[in-house]
Amino acid sequence: MTTDNDPDGQEPQPGSTAYLLQEMQLYGHRPFEDEPDHRPLPDARIAGGAIADIFDAIVSSLIDTRIEPDLEDLAWGIVNVFHRAGERIERELDDNEREQKRLQREQDGSEVRSVELERRIAEGITMLERRDTMEFLRDTAADQFRTHIRKAWLPRSGAMVNRKMLTSAVLDSRRQIDKRSYQDARVLNPDGVRIAFTGGAYFNDHKLIYATLDKVHAQLPDMILLHGATPTGAERIAACWARDRNVPQKPYKPDWDRHKKAAPFKRNDAMLEEMPRGVIIFPGTGIQDNIADKARKMGIRLWDFRRRTD
């Protein structure tokens, strides 16, 4: 048999345009699967009416019949169709977000990369709208389930997110809580330029320490002082300087119970993990030598006062 696409009566070869068109005709094609979808969303009133019609039809046809005992499970399944569809789109959103982050890292200024990222962003926006629509349909169906079955609909497993309940008051409350959490976090981990400080427990030249820290603070007004929290000596003086100058400080106490004799060296590692702009080192012991060697290997600037005698 000959066709318009196949005038000689031969089957199209795999990989050809004719073969692709035949496969699409036979097995269907989902438009907008890998591109932004510019079609409008369903009308809420029409979609809600359709859901109500579905429940009215199935309830009226099965009530007062031998199938009535199965009515609850069937009605539950109708709601679950929309619930599972929303969860599937949520997983697609996760994939889209990971892809966007990858493309952000790979941006090289080329138009190709930029267009690809813009396409992923547009797809993500469409997915958000699809997910919210599925949740709207699920919530509408759940209302019908409660009306006809006299029970609240709940998923068999997992959570049921209801964005319809996100009123302005709830959002304002969450923003206030988030703001407070952010402010509390800033107290414990403030923004600024981190400068590490270390010195021996028996070095007590407070004038030199104050003068040195004042010079650094003049260059870096938003500095944060990291120190080892030794209760005596240079680090104690540095902590007092930070208190007097209202400079945020972040003490790193060695964990003797966990690390035993290695605790001061583990403490050094923890301070350097913060990647400070520089390390101020005053005379001390091998603990100070250790942090100096590690900072030098990491390329961190050193203000080294270990060999000063004046």
Side-chain angles (χ1 to χ4, degrees), residues 155-171:
R156 300 278 166 81
S157 62
M160 178 178 173
V161 179
N162 190 348
R163 290 174 174 82
K164 183 173 63 175
M165 300 301 295
L166 293 180
T167 62
S168 60
V170 173
L171 293 174

Side-chain angles (χ1 to χ4, degrees), residues 124-197:
I125 294 173
T126 299
M127 289 177 187
L128 282 171
E129 294 172 339
R130 288 170 54 207
R131 181 203 62 190
D132 293 347
T133 300
M134 288 300 173
E135 290 182 357
F136 165 78
L137 295 174
R138 180 205 60 195
D139 294 341
T140 302
D143 290 340
Q144 292 293 323
F145 180 88
R146 182 167 50 250
T147 299
H148 291 283
I149 308 300
R150 308 295 183 184
K151 290 182 180 180
W153 187 90
L154 292 173
R156 300 278 166 81
S157 62
M160 178 178 173
V161 179
N162 190 348
R163 290 174 174 82
K164 183 173 63 175
M165 300 301 295
L166 293 180
T167 62
S168 60
V170 173
L171 293 174
D172 289 342
S173 174
R174 291 186 178 180
R175 278 194 291 266
Q176 189 272 332
I177 293 172
D178 291 342
K179 181 178 179 181
R180 179 181 177 186
S181 299
Y182 172 71
Q183 290 174 340
D184 291 344
R186 284 201 63 188
V187 171
L188 299 175
N189 191 19
D191 298 327
V193 179
R194 283 158 170 73
I195 299 296
F197 181 98

Side-chain angles (χ1 to χ4, degrees), residues 200-211:
Y202 300 102
F203 186 82
N204 294 302
D205 191 343
H206 66 279
K207 291 183 179 180
L208 177 60
I209 293 174
Y210 264 63

